[in-house]
Amino acid sequence: GTSGNFAIIAAGEGAYCSATDATITGSILSNDYVSFVRSAFVGNGVAYNLMGVPQGQNVMALLAVDHFRAAYANVSARPVSVEAVGQPATYALGTNIGGRTFTPGTYHAAAGAGVEPAGVSGNAFLRGNESSVFIFQVTGALVLAADTEIVLQWDGTGTGPPVATNVIWQVASYTTLGARATLRGTILCASYISFGAAAKVYGRALAEGYVVIPAGLIDEVYNLVEIAEEEAAAKKPFSPPSPSPSRPPSPPPPNLPPSPPPSSP
């Protein structure tokens, strides 16, 4: 949907985005205000602020909020993947997913999920190929400890490793990335998203609450040329098509007398 135009969304009433010494590839959408201190956009990124903008004047931004919320509802309602008969319950997440390797599927955590402690043993690995889809439904908070990473691993099939656009983190509470932590995928968060110093997201950070980025990196993974074209199209004023003028039905052709036979010489 239209939310794909944005690397960051702070959608809820009073929600804001604060970026300090950050680098952002893509655009920001904030319901309230955007604080952008010593930070930089890469490519065609811009900041949209809905505060004080009359409804209907920024159709794309308003649609993006709706599409973000629809995506959250869609992902949260998806059934959890079912294990093969006799296999352990691999799709039920515990409170610590660090050190685990995940194959494609939909995973569910009844409580908060986190990646800790720091170091290689604390990283989480998503193993598959470029077509693999990973969905993580987290009922509580998602917390990545400092120096931890979500790693995309190639399983040797297809043509390459998993891609961040196919990884979704649906979080019913808040999301926190510790200092220098790295997450790959799209975060759909019902509360706020907070970054530690030098934390990175290769994907998008979409939240109902605020998004705070101190000296971090958001690398939005969509095609910037396509985004610019969609933004330009969305900014055009909407003009409903004019109804075709009604015309009376054409009268039937007149009954003409038959042509007289040619006269004999």
Side-chain angles (χ1 to χ4, degrees):
T2 313
S3 59
N5 292 337
F6 296 94
I8 300 171
I9 289 180
E13 183 176 354
Y16 61 89
C17 177
S18 175
T20 304
D21 297 313
T23 302
I24 298 168
T25 303
S27 295
I28 293 175
L29 169 60
S30 173
N31 189 300
D32 201 322
Y33 70 87
V34 177
S35 172
F36 208 59
V37 181
R38 297 186 306 277
S39 298
F41 283 113
V42 176
N44 299 318
V46 294
Y48 290 84
N49 182 357
L50 292 181
M51 183 173 64
V53 178
Q55 187 171 359
Q57 288 194 7
N58 197 330
V59 175
M60 181 189 67
L62 293 167
L63 282 176
V65 171
D66 289 342
H67 290 172
F68 153 59
R69 289 170 176 162
Y72 181 96
N74 178 286
V75 173
S76 64
R78 294 196 180 194
V80 179
S81 298
V82 178
E83 296 83 2
V85 175
Q87 297 298 311
T90 54
Y91 296 103
L93 297 177
T95 55
N96 180 15
I97 63 175
R100 287 184 58 178
T101 297
F102 297 89
T103 55
T106 299
Y107 297 82
H108 182 82
V115 181
E116 58 182 4
V120 175
S121 63
N123 294 346
F125 300 88
L126 312 186
R127 185 171 174 81
N129 60 34
E130 74 285 351
S131 299
S132 300
V133 176
F134 301 83
I135 295 175
F136 296 90
Q137 302 167 338
V138 182
T139 305
L142 175 64
V143 179
L144 271 68
D147 299 301
T148 54
E149 184 174 359
I150 304 299
V151 181
L152 304 181
Q153 272 189 345
W154 189 22
D155 64 1
T157 64
T159 59
V163 292
T165 48
N166 289 339
V167 180
I168 301 175
W169 303 87
Q170 177 257 318
V171 185
S173 185
Y174 63 87
T175 301
T176 299
L177 277 66
R180 300 170 302 280
T182 300
L183 183 142
R184 290 175 171 85
T186 295
I187 306 170
L188 303 175
C189 187
S191 185
Y192 65 84
I193 302 175
S194 178
F195 290 69
K200 301 179 180 67
V201 167
Y202 292 99
R204 293 182 292 151
L206 313 182
E208 277 290 339
Y210 62 78
V211 180
V212 176
I213 313 164
L217 168 71
I218 296 282
D219 188 1
E220 194 271 324
V221 289
Y222 285 76
N223 186 301
L224 291 176
V225 174
E226 293 179 0
I227 291 173
E229 292 173 350
E230 290 180 12
E231 288 179 346
K235 290 176 182 175
K236 293 179 180 178
F238 174 72
S239 299
S242 301
S244 301
S246 57
R247 298 179 179 177
S250 301
N255 294 323
L256 300 177
S259 302
S263 56
S264 300

